[in-house]
C-alpha cells in the first residue's frame, strides 16, 4: 500500500514503543514531513476521558481500548504517539524498539525510578508493545532506533508509508 496526494491527508499513523524509544521526537518529525496533525495519546486520554480509572501507584490513567478506538475512528489524518497508540485505528502502526542497555541509560537520564526502569526494560526485552500492536493491526512497522537519530527513523517511516515499503526489522533482546 503506498500513499500519495489527497490520500496522505487522511493517513493515520500510530507510533508506539516502550518509554525512551524515541516516539515523541520521531512522531513530531513524521507529522511535520507529512503535514499531519500530531496527537499525544497521553493528552488525548486525559482531555477526552479515554480511560477507565487512574492508577495511583503508577501515576497514570488506565487507557480504555474501546474508548480510544471509538474516539479515533472519527478522526482522519494524524500521527498519534504513545506507548499504547497502537490501540487506535491506523493505516500504519509503527513500533519503535531500543536495545535494553541503551534504553536503561535513557530512562535513567529522564529521571525514571529504578522500579519503572526495570519494568520498562523488561517490557522491551519481552516485546510487550510489539506483540500487542501485531495482534491489533495489519500494517506493522518495526524499527530499531538504538543507533539511529530521530531524523533517520522518521525518514524510514515516511518512505514506508508513502512508497509502500515493508519495514519490519529483526529485533531480539532476550539474549541481553
Amino acid at each position: 500500500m503506498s500513499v500519495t496526494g489527497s490520500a496522505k491527508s487522511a493517513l493515520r499513523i500510530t507510533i508506539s514503543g516502550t518509554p525512551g524509544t524515541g516516539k515523541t521526537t520521531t512522531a513530531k518529525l513524521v507529522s511535520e514531513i507529512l503535514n499531519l496533525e500530531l496527537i499525544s495519546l497521553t493528552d488525548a486520554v486525559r482531555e477526552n476521558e479515554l480511560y477507565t480509572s487512574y492508577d495511583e501507584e503508577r501515576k497514570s490513567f488506565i487507557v480504555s481500548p474501546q474508548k480510544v478506538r471509538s474516539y479515533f475512528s472519527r478522526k482522519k489524518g494524524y500521527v498519534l504517539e504513545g506507548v499504547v497508540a497502537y490501540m487506535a485505528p491506523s493505516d500504519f502502526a509503527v513500533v519503535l524498539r531500543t536495545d535494553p542497555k541503551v534504553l536503561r541509560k535513557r530512562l535513567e537520564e529522564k529521571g525514571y525510578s529504578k522500579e519503572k526502569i526495570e519494568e520498562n526494560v523488561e517490557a522491551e526485552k519481552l516485546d510487550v508493545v510489539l506483540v500487542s500492536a501485531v495482534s491489533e493491526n495489519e500494517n506493522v512497522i518495526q524499527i530499531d532506533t538504538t543507533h539511529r537519530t530521530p531524523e533517520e527513523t522518521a525518514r524510514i517511516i515516511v518512505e514506508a508509508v508513502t512508497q509502500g515499503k515493508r519495514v519490519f526489522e529483526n529485533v531480539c533482546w532476550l539474549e541481553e
Side-chain angles (χ1 to χ4, degrees), residues 35-107:
N35 196 29
L36 294 171
E37 178 184 10
L38 174 62
I39 304 170
S40 160
L41 182 59
T42 301
D43 293 345
V45 165
R46 186 176 45 252
E47 293 165 8
N48 300 287
E49 298 182 12
L50 307 177
Y51 54 85
T52 57
S53 61
Y54 186 78
D55 183 335
E56 283 294 336
E57 186 178 324
R58 288 199 164 112
K59 304 282 187 239
S60 64
F61 289 101
I62 306 302
V63 178
S64 166
Q66 296 82 4
K67 289 180 180 180
V68 167
R69 279 191 286 277
S70 175
Y71 178 79
F72 284 100
S73 68
R74 298 185 299 265
K75 294 184 80 54
K76 300 288 182 210
Y78 59 77
V79 175
L80 176 67
E81 68 86 15
V83 175
V84 295
Y86 60 78
M87 290 180 178
S90 66
D91 300 300
F92 296 92
V94 178
V95 178
L96 301 183
R97 307 295 305 279
T98 300
D99 181 304
K101 288 179 264 182
V102 173
L103 186 66
R104 180 182 305 282
K105 287 179 185 173
R106 289 180 186 174
L107 296 177

Side-chain angles (χ1 to χ4, degrees), residues 18 97 118-129:
T18 306
R97 307 295 305 279
E118 292 310 313
E119 179 183 326
N120 285 304
V121 165
E122 195 67 21
E124 182 65 13
K125 285 180 182 177
L126 297 174
D127 303 335
V128 171
V129 175

